[in-house]
């Protein structure tokens, strides 16, 4: 099992808690990353939203790609996975940016390609936001151009959405960035089967993940493609000395108070095609993070993680609040129970393939 965490660009992950003691500053994010790679974490996901989905659209948030480059320069081991929505980027420029961050990180840079869901953000920032299936078709062309520019010179492509002619990209990435993607609709899963290297999902139960992973493996095999390189899942973690203390914290953070923090709820459930629509209580924590049930004592959480590992999950993307203190607790009390040797997974062996 590889342990990852979400970089907190938004001041936290809880819609019912106003102040999580997680400042929206690069200094906080940098110190978190540097500490994370010393206590057993293997990667960080830097989410990309130009508006604050957690604390409300007027609240501060940081930009993902500038932050990813800065983290690449100030860490030594972490895989840096930056989220990217094609509707806000040009593919050739993005390929160049990725190759540059790959150079800064010495081969530790990867992608989470997201086809987007938030119409209000697109209105405010001028992003391309078409109907659901069209967004996946655009994403597929986008990734083809990325991979083409990383492997061929000159590179040309003409498609429905993009046109690139005789483009030169040098230097090539030291390590071809792995492409992660997630989706639950038929269009999403079909598209991801064709273009992604690894599959990500919102939080779910063990049975849900076992079924989903089996399906995606079958789709990949039916397509005659190589197996997915990883299966990752988002989750929120609460670890306490006793189960009662953990459940009390769960009750505190899911005490729903309707307000500005739920501005994006209707966009999320109406503009996505979800297998499991979250309740407002579930939406208290982002990305259906409570569904995996990582709530309890260190041993209970470790045992639960091992159930997901048995189901085929090999990468966890975890959220905590407050992040620094709870990641410290998780690194000290849970990771050794799951990975007794204390060893971390080498990013050079997991992030992608040598170009």
């Amino acid at each position: 099992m590889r342990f990852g965490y979400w970089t907190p660009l938004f001041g936290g992950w809880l819609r019912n808690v106003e102040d999580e003691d997680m400042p929206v500053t690069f200094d906080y994010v940098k110190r978190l990353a540097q500490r994370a790679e010393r206590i057993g974490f293997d990667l960080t996901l830097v989410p990309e939203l130009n508006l604050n989905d957690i604390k409300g659209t007027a609240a501060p948030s940081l930009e993902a790609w500038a932050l990813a480059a800065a983290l690449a320069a100030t860490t030594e081991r972490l895989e840096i996975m930056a989220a990217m929505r094609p509707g806000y980027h040009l593919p050739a420029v993005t390929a160049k940016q990725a190759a540059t961050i790959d150079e800064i990180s010495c081969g530790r840079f990867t992608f989470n390609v997201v086809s987007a869901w938030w119409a209000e953000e697109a209105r405010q920032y001028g992003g391309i936001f078409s109907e659901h299936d069209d967004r996946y078709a655009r994403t597929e062309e986008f990734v083809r151009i990325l991979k083409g520019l990383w492997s061929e010179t000159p590179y040309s492509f003409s498609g429905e959405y993009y046109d690139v002619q005789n483009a030169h990209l040098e230097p090539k990435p030291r390590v071809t960035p792995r492409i992660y993607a997630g989706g639950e609709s038929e269009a999403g899963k079909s598209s991801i089967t064709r273009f992604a290297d690894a599959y990500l999902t919102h939080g779910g139960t063990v049975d849900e993940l076992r079924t989903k992973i089996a399906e995606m493996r079958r789709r990949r095999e039916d397509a005659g493609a190589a197996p997915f390189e990883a299966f990752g899942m988002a989750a929120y973690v609460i670890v306490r000395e006793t189960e009662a203390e953990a459940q009390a914290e769960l009750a505190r953070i899911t005490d729903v108070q309707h307000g500005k923090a739920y501005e994006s709820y209707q966009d999320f459930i109406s503009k996505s095609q979800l297998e499991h629509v979250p309740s407002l209580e579930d939406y208290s924590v982002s990305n259906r993070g409570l569904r995996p049930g990582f709530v309890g004592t260190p041993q209970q959480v470790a045992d639960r993680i091992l159930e997901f590992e048995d189901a085929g999950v090999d990468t966890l993307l975890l959220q905590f609040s407050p992040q620094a203190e709870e990641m410290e607790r998780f690194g000290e009390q849970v990771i050794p129970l799951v990975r007794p040797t204390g060893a971390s997974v080498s990013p050079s062996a997991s992030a992608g393939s040598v170009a």
Side-chain angles (χ1 to χ4, degrees), residues 247-284:
Q247 290 298 324
E249 171 66 2
L250 176 63
R252 181 184 76 88
I253 68 173
T254 56
D255 182 13
V256 176
Q257 303 168 15
H258 295 277
K260 65 181 182 180
Y262 291 90
E263 290 173 342
S264 62
Y265 179 67
Q266 289 301 326
D267 257 358
F268 179 64
I269 63 174
S270 65
K271 300 301 189 298
S272 305
Q273 294 181 16
L274 304 172
E275 293 172 327
H276 301 281
V277 176
S279 66
L280 276 176
E281 182 180 82
D282 284 339
Y283 200 66
S284 298

Side-chain angles (χ1 to χ4, degrees), residues 18-49:
E18 185 174 347
D19 184 1
E20 299 179 56
D21 195 26
M22 294 160 64
V24 184
T25 65
F26 174 61
D27 182 65
Y28 179 75
V29 169
K30 177 186 69 175
R31 288 187 290 109
L32 197 66
Q34 291 173 339
R35 183 58 183 160
E37 62 182 0
R38 287 166 173 75
I39 61 174
F41 285 85
D42 307 289
L43 69 153
T44 185
L45 167 59
V46 186
E48 182 184 59
L49 284 175

